[in-house]
Amino acid sequence: MAGDDFQRESDEAAIARQYAAWPRTRVMESIETRSDGWPSLISLRLAGMVRRRVVCALYESRQQDTTMGPHQDHWDGVIVQMRGAKLWRLWADPSGQPREILTQAGDVLLIPRGVEHDVATPQYSAHLAFAITDRPLTGT
């Protein structure tokens, strides 16, 4: 019978070792071109509104994952929290204290280009990042 050799791992220590071997945060780039679902439609709609190319990425993080540290992006970001939660630290003034924002499933966060930010994962998290680039739409 096909699949007879499949055995689900139930040893919690073995599962923990397997998860430890994964990269900390998984990123799937260019979701807008890999899907005909709503992320693709949102990318197209945003692009039509702002007349700029919009790129979508999916970020999936485990509890306590960290990122590259404080950084700035060269695009305007529209973050859609899909599952779990993410703690965002945003510096409106680079010499000041960051503002902390916890996004939870269903929340949308706008991060203007050039705003320094950092992210932490207090629990499992999956979010979409729609990057509104400087590249104008062509052929429209």
Side-chain angles (χ1 to χ4, degrees):
M1 185 182 233
D4 284 343
D5 59 340
F6 173 78
Q7 294 200 4
R8 183 171 302 278
E9 185 63 66
S10 60
D11 175 27
E12 288 190 31
I15 292 171
R17 283 191 302 276
Q18 195 67 21
Y19 275 99
W22 285 9
R24 298 301 292 165
T25 293
R26 295 189 297 173
V27 181
M28 294 180 66
E29 300 284 349
S30 301
I31 297 298
E32 79 285 357
T33 62
R34 299 172 189 235
S35 162
D36 58 0
W38 70 265
S40 180
L41 294 174
I42 296 297
S43 296
L44 288 170
R45 185 68 160 162
L46 277 172
M49 289 169 38
V50 298
R51 312 304 300 160
R52 298 278 183 242
R53 181 157 183 258
V54 175
V55 179
C56 181
L58 169 67
Y59 292 81
E60 182 182 33
S61 305
R62 294 179 297 156
Q63 185 175 12
Q64 303 305 318
D65 282 358
T66 57
T67 63
M68 62 181 101
H71 65 282
Q72 299 175 4
D73 294 325
H74 301 288
W75 53 81
D76 294 312
V78 179
I79 309 303
V80 179
Q81 188 69 40
M82 302 299 296
R83 293 195 176 172
K86 228 18 164 178
L87 179 63
W88 299 81
R89 288 182 290 279
L90 299 124
W91 286 265
D93 174 6
S95 62
Q97 291 295 325
R99 177 175 179 197
E100 291 191 348
I101 299 171
L102 181 70
T103 56
Q104 298 180 35
D107 289 344
V108 175
L109 176 64
L110 303 175
I111 303 177
R113 76 182 67 231
V115 170
E116 189 168 0
H117 59 281
D118 190 18
V119 190
T121 311
Q123 58 178 289
Y124 170 84
S125 170
H127 75 273
L128 292 170
F130 293 90
I132 301 171
T133 71
D134 281 336
R135 288 182 50 197
L137 291 181
T138 57
T140 59

